[in-house]
Amino acid sequence: MKLIECPRDAWQGVHSFIPTKKKAAYINQLLKVGFDTIDFGSFVSPKAMPQVSDTAELIGQLDISDSSTKLLAIVANERGATDACQFTQITDIGYPFSVSETFQIRNANATMAESLERVKRIAAMVAENGKDLVIYISMGFGNPYGDAWNAEIVFDNVEKLSQFGIKTFSLADTVGVAREDDIRSVFSQLLALRPDLEFGAHFHSTPHSWLGKLSAAYEAGCRRFDGALFGYGGCPMAQDELVGNMATENLVAFAKEKKELLNLDLHALQNAREQFLQLI
């Protein structure tokens, strides 16, 4: 299993600005844990997401010298991708592509068709700079807006996006509406139809719904999972009341039960948990 820790997703909805120095200290602690990737910041409108407006400044305070963990930053357009590509420390760039037309406009101020062309240009830019592009399929298991959704819509969009050389897709249960049967169906079909691609799960869930979702994805063959310590955060663009992230602690316990080797420094993880409580 690969674990992607998402402090950016955890704190982007926090209204009181967290000082950059404190964010840096926390991420530097996370870098000691051994996560595959840390989703640490984003290059988006500071008006839309003021909490992550200091991402460029934050990078300069991170110590990656003794860590094999990759750093991922989210972008919403070419301008953000241009900014992210300037930093050698960033290895992965994420773009949220929704299979809900309503949410794509709401989240990225672009239609799905416009976003497809946007991804094409971003993918070329990212490849030219030696980085990897991760596509987050927002509303990947349904949406609250009445927009059409089924597994075929997800697959068709993955097919279109993969033409641009993208190899990694993370399906997001953005508002926590995913049903276990749909999770199994979507991952089973995607993994069977495109075994050459990597598919991950970015679940938002309540404290009582995480296990069923996680088990369904794992049983279908998914081995890449996003989480955040204590299950904090969610997507503030999706609805007024946040649905939390999948708790990293639950992911670690699940991996242990399945005898998955994560190679995490559990002492460093506990220190990060304690530091997080002082951060928020």
Side-chain angles (χ1 to χ4, degrees):
M1 280 176 63
K2 288 183 180 179
L3 295 192
I4 289 75
E5 180 64 17
C6 304
R8 184 271 317 167
D9 207 10
W11 62 44
Q12 69 180 3
V14 177
H15 296 298
S16 299
F17 186 78
I18 302 169
T20 306
K21 186 176 181 179
K22 287 187 176 182
K23 289 176 186 167
Y26 177 57
I27 295 175
N28 280 328
Q29 180 61 40
L30 290 176
L31 284 165
K32 299 176 183 178
V33 176
F35 293 110
D36 178 83
T37 305
I38 294 176
D39 174 357
F40 80 101
S42 60
F43 293 87
V44 296
S45 166
K47 183 178 180 180
M49 294 290 182
Q51 190 62 259
V52 292
S53 60
D54 59 345
T55 296
E57 181 183 355
L58 179 60
I59 295 173
Q61 299 181 33
L62 301 183
D63 181 7
I64 61 172
S65 58
D66 293 323
S67 178
S68 61
T69 298
K70 295 179 286 187
L71 290 177
L72 180 147
I74 298 293
V75 305
N77 51 39
E78 293 98 318
R79 180 177 178 179
T82 299
D83 292 342
C85 284
Q86 295 176 7
F87 297 94
T88 58
Q89 301 97 319
I90 296 175
T91 57
D92 294 10
I93 292 175
Y95 180 86
F97 184 95
S98 182
V99 289
S100 158
E101 188 78 74
T102 302
F103 187 67
Q104 188 62 38
I105 295 171
R106 182 172 179 172
N107 195 43
N109 196 30
T111 65
M112 289 170 63
E114 290 169 339
S115 289
L116 192 66
E117 290 302 311
R118 184 178 289 179
V119 170
K120 181 179 180 180
R121 296 188 292 270
I122 291 174
M125 185 190 312
V126 168
E128 185 178 342
N129 284 275
K131 304 183 188 301
D132 293 319
L133 183 58
V134 178
I135 295 294
Y136 286 87
I137 302 293
S138 304
M139 301 291 174
F141 302 97
N143 62 81
Y145 309 115
D147 294 339
W149 178 88
N150 54 51
E152 288 70 30
I153 290 173
V154 176
F155 180 69
D156 286 347
N157 280 284
V158 167
E159 282 288 275
K160 293 174 183 176
L161 292 159
S162 66
Q163 295 177 16
F164 308 140
I166 300 161
K167 297 295 184 182
T168 305
F169 295 83
S170 187
L171 275 65
D173 181 20
T174 315
V175 288
V177 300
R179 299 186 307 132
E180 293 173 25
D181 287 347
D182 289 335
I183 292 171
R184 288 191 189 89
S185 176
V186 170
F187 278 114
S188 295
Q189 291 184 59
L190 288 174
L191 289 163
L193 293 167
R194 293 301 305 265
D196 56 316
L197 303 178
E198 180 180 35
F199 294 99
H202 183 102
F203 289 134
H204 292 170
S205 63
T206 65
H208 305 293
S209 64
W210 70 271
L211 182 57
K213 293 180 180 183
L214 180 55
S215 297
Y218 184 87
E219 291 163 7
C222 178
R223 293 297 182 270
R224 176 189 173 103
F225 296 94
D226 290 13
L229 288 178
F230 297 99
Y232 207 88
C235 180
M237 299 303 289
Q239 56 187 31
D240 293 332
E241 186 176 347
L242 296 185
V243 177
N245 283 290
M246 181 73 68
T248 301
E249 294 88 342
N250 291 338
L251 288 170
V252 172
F254 183 87
K256 183 178 180 180
E257 180 183 330
K258 298 298 182 181
K259 295 181 171 51
E260 292 277 356
L261 297 177
L262 297 177
N263 296 319
L264 300 183
D265 184 330
L266 297 182
H267 179 69
L269 179 61
Q270 180 57 30
N271 287 341
R273 294 179 79 245
E274 294 172 2
Q275 197 165 332
F276 180 84
L277 293 176
Q278 298 173 9
L279 184 74
I280 299 299

